[in-house]
Amino acid sequence: MKISDAAKLLGISTDTIRYYEKEGVITPKRTSKNNYRDLDNRDIISLLICIYNRKIGYSMKESVEYVEGIPVSKITDILNKKIDELELEVKETKNLINYLTTLKMESEIDFYNIGNYWITVEPKCYLLPYAKISQSEICFTKDNPRYYAKLFEYLPFINQAQVTNVENICDSPQSVTEWFFVIPEIIYNQLPQEFLKDARVMPRQHCLNTVVINENWEYPNTEIFKDLSIYLKKRNIKSCGIATATYPNYYFQENGKKVRYAKVKVPIELKGV
């Protein structure tokens, strides 16, 4: 196995592997063709033992000293833990692929839904505060940019939504709007605790949906909810909870012009449901 492949498998740097080689923990063979390192199974197990020793508190030097003489049962435990970690990564990756596939399918049909109204059952999700935005400025919820940098490490993509209470959607447009990250439950469950304390729960609920052209998306206000509020009033449908508007990160062509659109959802109460 090449050193780069071993580093990827074990979740460590190639420099770390070279350090352990220098200390005599591994003695990889060299390929005759280009003199690359070729790590065998014994090398991989020795590296796993060193990684395990580091995780339980030993220094780099100590992790090397305690490689020799480790019982077979402990090696088996270490290998099982690594297998469990990789299986969890595979499961999480499959969940994300399924979510992104659904998101792609939804975005592809948005064009055909402009001006239409339909009801969906939205799964439980979470809203994480992002910023308050007006025409003149953006005021981020967190002053520390490292907060968002670390959050982005856990979110493979960012789905931002403009949010308002349904009690306000019939009022005059508000120039300052609140924005949140919309996080599916499968991703929320993987986030560190530090992000969870500010999250707002969006329960599983019925929502009235529409897709609208949003010419002035650079300067968002609650005008984006106007069409849905009129539709609700005409049909005497009772709304409840939090309305959201999301803005896919691309345009589509209409009469040769690039236009931005918004997907709007308003929770509603359905009789007999």
Side-chain angles (χ1 to χ4, degrees):
M1 180 182 293
K2 291 182 180 179
I3 187 173
S4 57
D5 294 333
K8 185 177 181 181
L9 171 66
L10 300 173
I12 58 178
S13 68
T14 53
D15 286 340
T16 300
I17 294 178
R18 292 189 183 98
Y19 168 81
Y20 286 126
E21 180 185 11
K22 181 181 176 182
E23 293 298 320
V25 173
I26 60 173
T27 53
K29 298 176 182 177
R30 297 279 182 163
T31 58
S32 57
K33 184 177 181 181
N34 45 31
N35 204 35
Y36 285 170
R37 293 173 178 82
D38 184 15
L39 283 73
D40 59 19
N41 292 343
R42 183 180 293 276
D43 293 327
I44 298 300
I45 290 176
S46 296
L47 288 171
L48 276 169
I49 294 170
C50 287
I51 295 169
Y52 171 80
N53 288 339
R54 290 286 288 143
K55 284 184 177 181
I56 62 176
Y58 289 120
S59 66
M60 289 285 282
K61 183 178 179 181
E62 289 171 332
S63 69
V64 172
E65 293 173 352
Y66 294 124
V67 170
E68 297 298 331
I70 189 168
V72 175
S73 59
K74 181 60 68 177
I75 294 176
T76 302
D77 290 342
I78 294 172
L79 290 171
N80 283 334
K81 286 181 180 179
K82 189 62 184 178
I83 291 170
D84 290 341
E85 289 177 8
L86 292 173
E87 287 180 342
L88 180 60
E89 289 179 12
V90 170
K91 180 180 178 181
E92 291 173 351
T93 301
K94 286 182 177 179
N95 287 337
L96 294 177
I97 290 173
N98 290 338
Y99 181 78
L100 287 171
T101 301
T102 302
L103 196 65
K104 175 177 177 288
M105 292 173 61
E106 289 179 354
S107 64
E108 288 175 344
I109 63 173
D110 284 342
F111 173 80
Y112 301 102
N113 283 325
I114 291 175
N116 295 329
Y117 299 87
W118 70 97
I119 294 175
T120 57
V121 179
E122 296 298 318
K124 181 181 179 181
C125 65
Y126 296 83
L127 299 176
L128 195 63
Y130 170 53
K132 290 187 177 181
I133 303 177
S134 67
Q135 293 190 19
S136 59
E137 64 179 350
I138 297 177
C139 182
F140 292 101
T141 304
K142 300 290 183 181
D143 294 330
N144 185 0
R146 291 183 178 179
Y147 172 89
Y148 296 106
K150 188 172 182 181
L151 177 63
F152 296 163
E153 292 178 6
Y154 294 93
L155 302 182
F157 55 90
I158 299 298
N159 189 13
Q160 299 175 7
Q162 178 184 351
V163 172
T164 186
N165 193 301
V166 293
E167 296 177 358
N168 301 324
I169 64 176
C170 297
D171 299 339
S172 57
Q174 301 168 12
S175 58
V176 178
T177 62
E178 289 188 271
W179 288 70
F180 292 76
F181 296 128
V182 181
I183 304 177
E185 189 169 19
I186 61 171
I187 297 178
Y188 175 86
N189 292 334
Q190 301 168 23
L191 292 178
Q193 190 63 37
E194 63 185 284
F195 299 114
L196 309 186
K197 58 183 179 181
D198 298 321
R200 181 186 301 181
V201 180
M202 290 280 283
R204 183 177 183 273
Q205 57 196 345
H206 288 85
C207 286
L208 181 65
N209 300 254
T210 192
V211 178
V212 297
I213 299 297
N214 183 29
E215 298 284 1
N216 298 315
W217 66 272
E218 295 94 341
Y219 308 109
N221 58 42
T222 52
E223 179 76 20
I224 201 72
F225 299 100
K226 183 178 178 180
D227 288 356
L228 264 183
S229 64
I230 293 173
Y231 185 91
L232 290 168
K233 276 187 174 181
K234 283 184 176 180
R235 286 155 182 79
N236 197 28
I237 301 175
K238 187 175 181 181
S239 56
C240 57
I242 302 297
T244 61
T246 55
Y247 301 78
N249 292 320
Y250 58 88
Y251 300 86
F252 64 85
Q253 293 281 353
E254 185 179 83
N255 299 325
K257 182 181 177 182
K258 288 184 177 180
V259 183
R260 187 76 177 236
Y261 68 86
K263 296 180 67 173
V264 186
K265 297 178 184 290
V266 175
I268 58 174
E269 293 183 2
L270 294 181
K271 297 179 180 179
V273 178

